[in-house]
Amino acid sequence: MPENSSKPELLRRMVEHISVLYPNVELEALAKELISAMGLEVTAEPPRPHRNLWDQADCLLITYGNSIVKPDEKPLTTLKRFIDDYLQGAVNSVHILPFFPYSSDDGFSVMDYLMVNPALGDWEDITAIADNYKLMSDVVINHMSARSRWFDNFKKRLDPGKDYFFEAHPDDDLSEVVRPRNSPLLTEVETADGSRYVWCTFSADQVDLNFKNPAVLAEFVNIIRHYLSRGVKIFRMDAVAFLWKEVGTPSIHLQETHEIIKLLRTLVEHHSPDAVIITETNVPNRENLTYFGNANEAHIIYNFSLPPLLLYTLLSGDCRHLKTWMMSMPPAQAGTAYLNFIASHDGIGLRPLDGLVDDEHREELVKAIRKFGGKVTYRKSREGVDKAYEINIALYDALKGTMEGGADHWQSQRFICAHLIMMALEGVPAFYIHSLIATENDYAKLENTGHNRSINRHVWQEQALYDALADKDRHHQIIFEQLGDSLRLRCQQPAFHPNATQFTLHLGTGVFAFWRQSIQREQSIFCLSNVTRSEQLINLADINLIGTDQWTDLLSGETLADLEGQLKLSPYQTVWLSNLLVSDTLAG
């Protein structure tokens, strides 16, 4: 009989994880230490596997804690009021981007993981939001601020911190390391033991942590437990692909990185069976998919290829690349899901287009974004040439026209079309706050910071935002109202469950179309979007609608009278053809 067979399941699984990471330590002792750090007993009951922790009612708002401000009020209080007053029934989950004290990168250079940035509020403000919404917090797990206490102790050669940061030497073979930045990989620092070189994947102010030291892993188990105690239910593992480093390798997606995610999931799900882990891995599509593991790593992964593909589709009027990608995507098995988004606090990454869109078409996209006032961030490829890595632009401005024709009067319709496609796809939809309210490029902030990403990180004064959302002559009000109504409609449709069946339809290059069917098969929805600025005619016979059902466009309320006739789609119009009306759904 295997040695581990008589051990409690939690202890057995932890020993298996640790044996991959730290084969030379006393495995069971470290396993028990980490279990205790999570506040668990070794006999803790395991959760039921392959359980979907989401349904069609789930929609996530992505926002900084201070995206909306009011004089003399804590921004977290202002944010909660906006969500309560304006987004009821539209979103039920909130991702507050890093709300901790930080030194740079708008929060992603964390100085103290256990404090709330006093400029935003305090833990009570965080808990107040968590009491009413599913709260998502970043776990900035790859790196920490060079101004943190841990790094100060590293330089002083004191604990905790002395061995918490990853070191290498300029003479090491670092030629294979995959980088998302052009900044130097190693930063020289003076310590009490002399000069040392620390590994900095992103910037000299963001020093990579050393997970080869099990004490660092134990620290993060404590951090996650603290977040759970404050009401956090969704954990976004920031930049996790770079977590484990090995000199002489690419130092991305290493086996140990995947094992740490598995280990943390094991602990989190034993502590809180309804908690969710999301991995943030802005990499090519095939690499991204590996973070599902065998339904034992991330519960949810970001659909990073969707934003640039959908943007390309609407700017070119050609959905071929988007269709090809969607047909290649495996359905997420039960207990896992995709997170669908088009815009976020970062730019729109172009690396997820690798293998999906050739360099010529990618350059067409980059040129269009420049024409619409956006910026482009570059990194050096392995061949030593600068390559467009990320486009930086507010999504509303990114969709102001087409590649061929330039700016036009279809901007708002194109923008709404993009989001109607996104929210109907398999997965959980997520809206960056500046997309939900159609914020435009913030050139003043861009000039002030000198960082390209600032163009899409506007801070609204509360009264100015409320005035914009009340003015029927402004695009903010029109778009916000239509997107909100569509989200409230969407959350009632079982065919939009994140794990409902999805098939791609082929209706030409100008119409992006797919079919969703609910898990219980009581509802079908055919989602058709005209991605061009020309009218499109669709033969309904090509869609193969069941003749014994009555089909209604959920968005307009119009019922199809002749299933053998034609459907006329105006430029950028979307229809959701359903055999089950909202009233039927509610009654069911």
Side-chain angles (χ1 to χ4, degrees):
M1 180 178 293
E3 180 184 350
N4 286 343
S5 61
S6 61
K7 293 177 182 176
E9 180 180 348
L10 175 56
L11 181 59
R12 177 185 60 78
R13 288 173 60 183
M14 289 296 293
V15 167
E16 289 176 356
H17 298 315
I18 292 167
S19 67
V20 175
L21 300 167
Y22 313 111
N24 298 321
V25 305
E26 175 52 50
L27 300 179
E28 193 163 311
L30 179 55
K32 289 179 177 178
E33 177 188 341
L34 296 177
I35 290 168
S36 177
M38 186 56 82
L40 296 170
E41 301 291 335
V42 295
T43 55
E45 288 295 315
R48 180 164 58 86
H50 300 291
R51 185 165 62 100
N52 291 327
L53 301 173
W54 42 79
D55 61 24
Q56 60 271 19
D58 283 287
C59 180
L60 183 76
L61 175 71
I62 305 168
T63 180
Y64 282 103
N66 64 346
S67 289
I68 309 170
V69 296
K70 180 182 180 181
D72 302 319
E73 182 173 76
K74 294 183 291 185
L76 288 171
T77 300
T78 311
L79 174 64
K80 184 177 184 299
R81 182 168 56 249
F82 171 75
I83 301 169
D84 290 345
D85 291 349
Y86 282 83
L87 296 177
Q88 288 297 314
V91 303
N92 67 350
S93 307
V94 182
H95 174 200
I96 305 176
L97 290 154
F99 46 80
F100 318 106
Y102 70 95
S103 56
S104 65
D105 198 17
D106 283 350
F108 285 92
S109 279
V110 178
M111 296 173 65
D112 189 330
Y113 292 102
L114 300 180
M115 281 185 61
V116 174
N117 183 353
L120 299 177
D122 52 34
W123 278 114
E124 284 66 34
D125 298 305
I126 293 293
T127 303
I129 294 173
D131 286 342
N132 292 280
Y133 305 93
K134 296 178 184 179
L135 179 61
M136 176 164 152
S137 171
D138 287 275
V139 181
V140 186
I141 196 168
N142 178 70
H143 49 261
M144 194 177 189
S145 169
R147 290 173 52 192
S148 64
R149 181 174 69 94
W150 286 358
F151 195 65
D152 191 48
N153 282 350
F154 171 86
K155 291 184 289 186
K156 294 176 180 176
R157 313 310 294 147
L158 300 174
D159 287 320
K162 182 177 70 172
D163 300 312
Y164 278 19
F165 297 89
F166 195 83
E167 299 179 54
H169 192 275
D171 293 337
D172 292 332
D173 178 10
L174 305 176
S175 60
E176 295 299 312
V177 175
V178 173
R179 297 294 313 285
R181 299 286 187 273
N182 281 346
S183 56
L185 175 62
L186 300 183
T187 298
E188 185 177 8
V189 294
E190 292 301 321
T191 75
D193 290 342
S195 179
R196 291 173 179 261
Y197 293 87
V198 291
W199 189 292
C200 301
T201 297
F202 293 92
S203 79
D205 188 48
Q206 296 168 297
V207 188
D208 285 40
L209 291 152
N210 178 23
F211 276 86
K212 291 187 175 183
N213 179 357
V216 175
L217 178 59
E219 292 276 14
F220 274 89
V221 172
N222 276 305
I223 289 164
I224 290 171
R225 180 187 177 189
H226 182 76
Y227 294 174
L228 283 164
S229 74
R230 297 294 187 169
V232 174
K233 289 297 183 186
I234 309 172
F235 296 89
R236 177 185 182 270
M237 299 292 172
D238 177 64
V240 72
F242 303 97
L243 197 63
W244 196 277
K245 289 87 176 164
E246 292 285 355
V247 170
T249 76
S251 293
I252 186 172
H253 311 315
L254 298 186
Q255 179 187 2
E256 291 86 352
T257 290
H258 288 279
E259 202 65 42
I260 287 176
I261 298 169
K262 293 176 187 176
L263 181 151
L264 292 175
R265 172 162 172 171
T266 295
L267 289 173
V268 166
E269 66 185 5
H270 277 78
H271 183 285
S272 299
D274 58 342
V276 170
I277 288 178
I278 298 182
T279 49
E280 187 268 331
T281 49
N282 192 356
V283 295
N285 195 54
R286 289 184 180 180
E287 299 171 28
N288 190 34
L289 289 169
T290 65
Y291 285 86
F292 276 141
N294 187 25
N296 61 350
E297 291 189 39
H299 294 88
I300 297 177
I301 64 171
Y302 279 78
N303 232 340
F304 273 111
S305 295
L306 178 61
L309 279 173
L310 188 49
L311 185 58
Y312 178 88
T313 296
L314 288 162
L315 295 187
S316 68
D318 186 337
C319 66
R320 279 177 290 186
H321 292 307
L322 186 60
K323 282 200 301 184
T324 300
W325 164 77
M326 194 163 84
M327 287 187 292
S328 73
M329 291 292 284
Q333 61 176 298
T336 66
Y338 297 106
L339 188 74
N340 295 325
F341 71 109
I342 315 176
S344 74
H345 63 290
D346 288 340
I348 296 176
L350 298 180
R351 208 168 162 239
L353 291 180
D354 289 356
L356 301 173
V357 176
D358 61 33
D359 288 345
E360 180 182 350
H361 290 125
R362 189 184 308 214
E363 187 57 31
E364 289 175 358
L365 176 60
V366 169
K367 287 179 180 178
I369 293 304
R370 283 203 185 96
K371 185 165 55 178
F372 299 149
K375 302 294 180 180
V376 182
T377 299
Y378 289 85
R379 69 178 180 93
K380 284 199 181 298
S381 67
R382 289 187 179 179
E383 295 74 30
V385 299
D386 284 343
K387 188 172 183 178
Y389 173 78
E390 181 180 270
I391 49 181
N392 305 102
I393 191 170
L395 186 65
Y396 186 68
D397 283 318
L399 291 166
K400 68 168 51 176
T402 63
M403 294 176 182
E404 183 179 344
D408 56 32
H409 64 281
W410 296 107
Q411 183 176 9
S412 291
Q413 292 89 335
R414 195 179 287 114
F415 185 82
I416 291 168
C417 176
H419 286 93
L420 290 175
I421 290 173
M422 182 269 286
M423 68 175 78
L425 289 170
E426 175 192 349
V428 177
F431 280 81
Y432 185 40
I433 190 168
H434 292 304
S435 293
L436 197 60
I437 54 185
T439 308
E440 296 160 292
N441 289 335
D442 190 334
Y443 292 111
K445 188 167 187 178
L446 172 64
E447 184 177 356
N448 183 51
T449 67
H451 298 303
N452 285 352
R453 287 178 171 177
S454 296
I455 200 171
N456 193 28
R457 295 180 178 179
H458 181 69
V459 175
W460 278 92
Q461 293 294 324
E462 183 189 56
Q463 192 57 55
L465 174 59
Y466 287 9
D467 288 345
L469 297 181
D471 187 344
K472 295 186 180 298
D473 293 327
R474 298 181 66 180
H475 73 270
H476 305 287
Q477 192 277 337
I478 297 166
I479 288 171
F480 182 76
E481 182 175 322
Q482 186 163 342
L483 291 180
D485 289 346
S486 300
L487 279 169
R488 293 180 181 93
L489 177 68
R490 177 198 179 279
C491 75
Q492 300 171 26
Q493 315 304 324
F496 285 148
H497 187 287
N499 296 91
T501 298
Q502 176 174 287
F503 284 109
T504 309
L505 303 178
H506 300 278
L507 300 174
T509 61
V511 176
F512 181 62
F514 51 97
W515 169 63
R516 303 294 308 279
Q517 185 181 59
S518 58
I519 295 171
Q520 301 302 322
R521 300 186 179 182
E522 75 273 31
Q523 185 186 35
S524 288
I525 300 178
F526 290 84
C527 307
L528 284 68
S529 295
N530 180 355
V531 298
T532 77
R533 54 184 184 177
S534 302
E535 184 181 274
Q536 299 285 321
L537 291 176
I538 303 298
N539 292 320
L540 289 173
D542 293 339
I543 305 176
N544 198 27
L545 301 174
I546 297 174
T548 56
D549 288 346
Q550 185 177 63
W551 295 91
T552 302
D553 174 19
L554 297 175
L555 294 169
S556 68
E558 295 181 6
T559 299
L560 297 182
D562 179 11
L563 299 188
E564 298 298 321
Q566 288 187 318
L567 178 66
K568 182 187 298 183
L569 292 179
S570 302
Y572 305 108
Q573 182 184 357
T574 293
V575 295
W576 290 344
L577 301 177
S578 174
N579 62 344
L580 187 66
L581 296 179
V582 173
S583 57
D584 297 332
T585 305
L586 292 174

